[in-house]
């Protein structure tokens, strides 16, 4: 299907679209486009091109061959696409087939940025729940730490980055703990968005950290936002993570077991709904490992 030579990109896209729409099976024609070197050279770096979304949607609708999906995953920049995509169902489709085809999607992710933290920063809260079915837990990175510190002042105009970092700079809170507090504040300030509370819930179900206390939140925000705002932020946090109390205590033994099992499954490339369902465990425990409880 030679549709690339001597044509304007928009004409090329239109011709590809018409060819696929008038062909059966559609996914084979879509794969044919993706396999052509001309397409890769022309569109690989432009993940915002509507043609990408169209071709991926065709695959999602018609292709169930995990090895074909694996081939596609090798053709484009997965992290860039995840950053700009709003198609949650296609994200889950790729994660499912990546697991089934033994494609390590994590190897293509940048080390200085954690993908779940990126979803939260970009307010793609629905993606957090989906990704944590296949991804052990979000990591702390210094780059993510700086990005969240820079983003919070855009939400709360009264505050500057320094007060947010003061707990770790003064030595009474680790940088990782400081980061989780600021990240939770960030999500709380987005509580009007769909999936914000659920993303906060799944985030804290995936990590071993003790729950944040009101004192920790207030020491970060005291003097820069009204006390009522601090209480609202913390109330949303408690309700989302189902902490039930304001006390900096270790999490339950059951939770630590979940964290440990998920880490082991992840290290063995078995962390996924399919992998967990293969375990000889009661359904309630499988649901617990998938962070649904």
């Amino acid at each position: 299907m030679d549709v690339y030579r001597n044509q304007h990109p928009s004409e090329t896209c239109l011709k590809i679209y018409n060819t696929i729409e008038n062909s059966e099976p559609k996914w084979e024609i879509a794969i044919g486009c993706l396999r052509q070197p001309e397409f890769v050279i022309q569109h690989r770096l432009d993940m915002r091109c509507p043609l990408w979304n169209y071709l991926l949607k065709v695959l999602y609708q018609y292709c169930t061959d995990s090895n074909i999906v694996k081939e596609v995953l090798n053709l484009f920049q997965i992290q860039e696409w995840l950053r700009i995509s709003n198609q949650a169902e296609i994200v889950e489709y790729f994660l499912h087939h990546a697991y089934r085809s033994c494609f390590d999607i994590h190897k293509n992710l940048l080390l200085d940025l954690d993908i779940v933290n990126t979803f939260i920063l970009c307010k793609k809260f629905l993606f957090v729940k989906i990704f944590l079915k296949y991804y052990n837990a979000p990591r702390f990175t210094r780059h993510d730490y700086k990005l969240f510190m820079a983003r919070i002042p855009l939400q709360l105009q009264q505050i500057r980055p320094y007060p947010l970092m003061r707990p770790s700079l003064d030595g009474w809170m680790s940088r990782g703990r400081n980061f989780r507090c600021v990240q939770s504040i960030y999500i709380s300030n987005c509580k009007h968005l769909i999936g914000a509370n659920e993303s906060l819930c799944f985030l804290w179900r995936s990590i071993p950290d003790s729950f944040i206390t009101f004192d920790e939140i207030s020491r970060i925000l005291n003097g820069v936002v009204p006390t009522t705002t601090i209480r609202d932020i913390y109330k949303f946090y408690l309700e989302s993570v189902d902490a039930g109390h304001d006390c900096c205590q270790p999490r339950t033994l059951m939770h630590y077991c979940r964290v440990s099992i998920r880490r082991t499954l992840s290290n063995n490339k078995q962390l996924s709904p399919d992998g967990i369902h293969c375990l000889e465990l009661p359904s309630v425990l499988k649901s617990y490992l998938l962070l649904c409880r």
Side-chain angles (χ1 to χ4, degrees):
M1 188 176 62
D2 189 10
V3 297
Y4 298 97
R5 302 185 187 282
N6 302 319
Q7 296 188 53
H8 189 274
S10 61
E11 296 175 353
T12 298
C13 293
L14 182 60
K15 190 167 184 178
I16 292 173
Y17 172 80
N18 289 332
T19 300
I20 293 175
E21 286 299 303
N22 295 316
S23 303
E24 291 294 341
K26 291 181 172 58
W27 69 268
E28 288 190 358
I29 307 300
I31 289 295
C33 293
L34 293 168
R35 284 173 175 160
Q36 292 202 30
E38 293 92 339
F39 178 87
V40 175
I41 293 171
Q42 188 176 78
H43 297 285
R44 183 180 177 88
L45 298 179
D46 185 13
M47 298 307 301
R48 295 183 183 275
C49 174
L51 185 58
W52 269 114
N53 286 333
Y54 172 70
L55 293 175
L56 297 182
K57 188 173 182 179
V58 169
L59 288 177
Y60 166 71
Q61 291 177 327
Y62 300 106
C63 181
T64 58
D65 188 327
S66 296
N67 289 321
I68 294 293
V69 178
K70 178 181 180 179
E71 182 182 351
V72 173
L73 286 168
N74 278 309
L75 292 175
F76 72 105
Q77 297 179 320
I78 184 68
Q79 182 142 346
E80 176 63 13
W81 179 77
L82 287 170
R83 189 181 66 82
I84 65 177
S85 174
N86 291 310
Q87 299 169 299
E89 68 282 359
I90 298 182
V91 171
E92 186 152 19
Y93 167 82
F94 276 128
L95 290 172
H96 170 72
H97 286 288
Y99 166 77
R100 294 192 62 184
S101 63
C102 299
F103 177 81
D104 187 3
I105 203 167
H106 306 112
K107 72 178 181 180
N108 293 328
L109 303 179
L110 299 176
L111 294 178
D112 60 343
L113 288 172
D114 182 90
I115 188 62
V116 173
N117 293 335
T118 300
F119 289 152
I120 293 172
L121 195 66
C122 296
K123 302 178 183 178
K124 295 179 180 292
F125 298 120
L126 295 177
F127 285 16
V128 174
K129 177 181 177 180
I130 293 171
F131 222 81
L132 286 176
K133 294 178 184 179
Y134 300 84
Y135 188 77
N136 179 31
R139 299 174 292 111
F140 165 77
T141 73
R142 291 187 177 184
H143 195 60
D144 284 328
Y145 181 70
K146 292 177 181 178
L147 288 175
F148 273 91
M149 291 299 176
R151 191 64 64 89
I152 286 282
L154 299 178
Q155 290 184 320
L156 303 172
Q157 296 181 1
Q158 310 97 315
I159 195 171
R160 295 185 179 278
Y162 175 74
L164 299 174
M165 296 185 288
R166 188 170 55 202
S168 63
L169 294 175
D170 290 350
W172 63 269
M173 182 183 286
S174 70
R175 188 176 294 182
R177 182 71 171 177
N178 192 188
F179 171 68
R180 290 301 174 207
C181 287
V182 170
Q183 188 177 53
S184 298
I185 292 170
Y186 180 83
I187 298 174
S188 297
N189 286 324
C190 299
K191 61 184 178 183
H192 60 286
L193 297 178
I194 296 175
N197 62 332
E198 201 167 34
S199 70
L200 189 57
C201 174
F202 272 69
L203 165 66
W204 281 87
R205 285 177 179 176
S206 71
I207 59 178
D209 306 42
S210 58
F211 289 125
I212 298 170
T213 66
F214 179 76
D215 181 62
E216 288 175 308
I217 293 288
S218 61
R219 289 182 72 175
I220 292 174
L221 296 177
N222 190 36
V224 291
V225 297
T227 303
T228 53
T229 301
I230 298 174
R231 292 190 180 279
D232 288 343
I233 289 172
Y234 192 67
K235 180 182 178 183
F236 177 80
Y237 169 79
L238 281 183
E239 291 174 349
S240 297
V241 303
D242 195 26
H245 53 79
D246 175 23
C247 186
C248 187
Q249 293 182 348
R251 306 283 288 274
T252 65
L253 179 59
M254 187 173 180
H255 176 71
Y256 286 129
C257 289
R258 167 166 63 185
V259 170
S260 179
I261 292 171
R262 282 175 57 87
R263 184 186 302 117
T264 301
L265 289 170
S266 179
N267 291 340
N268 288 279
K269 307 294 189 293
Q270 293 298 314
L271 181 56
S272 73
D274 287 350
I276 289 175
H277 285 313
C278 288
L279 300 175
E280 295 183 1
L281 294 172
S283 58
V284 65
L285 291 182
K286 293 177 182 178
S287 179
Y288 189 72
L289 289 175
L290 286 170
L291 310 180
C292 296
R293 293 176 177 270

